[in-house]
Amino acid sequence: MARFVPHIVLALGACVMLLPFYWMGLTAIRAPSEIFDISLWPIPEDFSAGRNFAKVEERVPMGRFMLNGVIVCAGILIVQVATAVPAAYALAKLKFPGKALFLALVVGALCVPMQALALPLFVGLAKAQLLNTYFALMAPFFLSVFAIFLFRQSFRSYPDEIIEAARLDGFSEFEICWRLVLRGSLPSLSAFAIFSVVAHWNDLYWPMIVVRDTALAPPPLGMLYFSDAESGADYGALMAGATLVTAPMVLCFLLARRQFIAGITMTGVK
């Protein structure tokens, strides 16, 4: 019996964690008269999912907001991987003067919050006349010190013998980095991709600063516009919009959960 206790505790914890998502989905399909009903029964008396989701698209261009989120998250992720992988490979497998200093700077940069850099970044983008653009939404996140640290931890476990053999076979360092070492660390890449996409899909702070055009708003900012339009009264429609924004991230995690867990385990990141 004792061996089942941890599973029971974890199951109860999972139920507590999932309850807000369940309530969000339940509210999204309920009629206004049932919104404040404390019942958790999944089938409402008046199934209003069609009306609630239709209101979202009628009052704000939610499809456009979702597309903006995809563009911003994909653009950030591609550049982050392109810059972080070579840097992590150099810190993990190459020898050069100042390597320890660079690693210390990477670790130190992990302690710097985005809010501390917001003002100089905003001023720089304003002087360059790049506000209200996709570039303004993405540029501050192109270099990810977390990605460098995560990949460096993963690359350290790649066998040096294989790298030496590849060099003898005429592989360049670029080819070794991208064709061998990164291919052997795909779980870490999947883990970081989930971290990055979820973080920037849900980011509201930076888009509120650099975006004024509704057509460029990512999903969280779009939900803020929708909330203002609804005056906070139509909770069914609000939860329908929140469900649309949340669903892609939940699906992303479910599809890549094994790679995510393997990547975290390989790198020793808790």
Side-chain angles (χ1 to χ4, degrees):
M1 181 63 185
R3 64 178 179 177
F4 294 108
V5 173
H7 297 282
I8 294 173
V9 173
L10 290 173
L12 291 174
C15 290
V16 172
M17 296 294 292
L18 292 174
L19 182 59
F21 295 96
Y22 177 74
W23 189 263
M24 176 183 68
L26 191 59
T27 305
I29 63 175
R30 282 178 166 178
S33 59
E34 298 180 64
I35 293 297
F36 295 101
D37 188 353
I38 62 173
S39 171
L40 295 177
W41 182 248
I43 303 176
E45 295 180 5
D46 183 5
F47 190 78
S48 301
R51 289 196 298 270
N52 290 335
F53 283 95
K55 288 178 183 178
V56 178
E57 189 58 37
E58 287 173 3
R59 295 172 184 175
V60 292
M62 186 58 70
R64 178 67 188 187
F65 298 154
M66 302 284 279
L67 177 61
N68 291 338
V70 172
I71 293 172
V72 170
C73 290
I76 291 173
L77 179 61
I78 291 171
V79 179
Q80 283 180 334
V81 172
T83 55
V85 168
Y89 173 73
L91 290 173
K93 293 300 182 182
L94 301 182
K95 296 180 180 179
F96 56 90
K99 177 178 176 179
L101 176 60
F102 280 111
L103 180 59
L105 290 174
V106 168
V107 175
L110 289 171
C111 304
V112 180
M114 172 62 192
Q115 289 76 6
L117 305 174
L119 181 58
L121 287 171
F122 176 82
V123 172
L125 290 169
K127 288 185 177 297
Q129 298 183 349
L130 291 173
L131 296 178
N132 271 320
T133 63
Y134 285 122
F135 181 82
L137 287 168
M138 296 186 287
F141 310 103
F142 281 161
L143 180 61
S144 171
V145 289
F146 174 70
I148 295 174
F149 181 76
L150 185 74
F151 290 137
R152 185 254 180 187
Q153 294 297 101
S154 177
F155 292 172
R156 287 180 63 194
S157 63
Y158 195 85
D160 292 330
E161 294 78 6
I162 298 179
I163 294 177
E164 291 298 331
R167 287 170 180 160
L168 291 174
D169 286 341
F171 278 58
S172 66
E173 296 296 335
F174 182 86
E175 291 175 313
I176 294 172
C177 173
W178 290 99
R179 295 178 58 185
L180 297 179
V181 179
L182 181 61
R183 187 174 296 180
S185 302
L186 290 181
S188 297
L189 179 60
S190 300
F192 173 71
I194 293 176
F195 277 125
S196 177
V197 170
V198 170
H200 300 298
W201 182 272
N202 293 327
D203 184 24
L204 177 62
Y205 175 77
W206 184 246
M208 284 185 66
I209 295 175
V210 298
V211 168
R212 294 293 180 269
D213 187 354
T214 304
L216 293 173
L221 187 57
M223 276 301 300
L224 187 63
Y225 293 151
F226 180 58
S227 178
D228 290 342
E230 290 297 306
S231 300
D234 195 341
Y235 296 106
L238 285 172
M239 291 301 102
T243 301
L244 290 174
V245 172
T246 307
M249 296 298 96
V250 175
L251 181 62
C252 178
F253 177 77
L254 291 177
L255 292 176
R257 64 187 184 280
R258 292 184 179 179
Q259 293 84 351
F260 176 79
I261 295 171
I264 296 301
T265 304
M266 286 174 60
T267 55
V269 177
K270 302 298 184 183

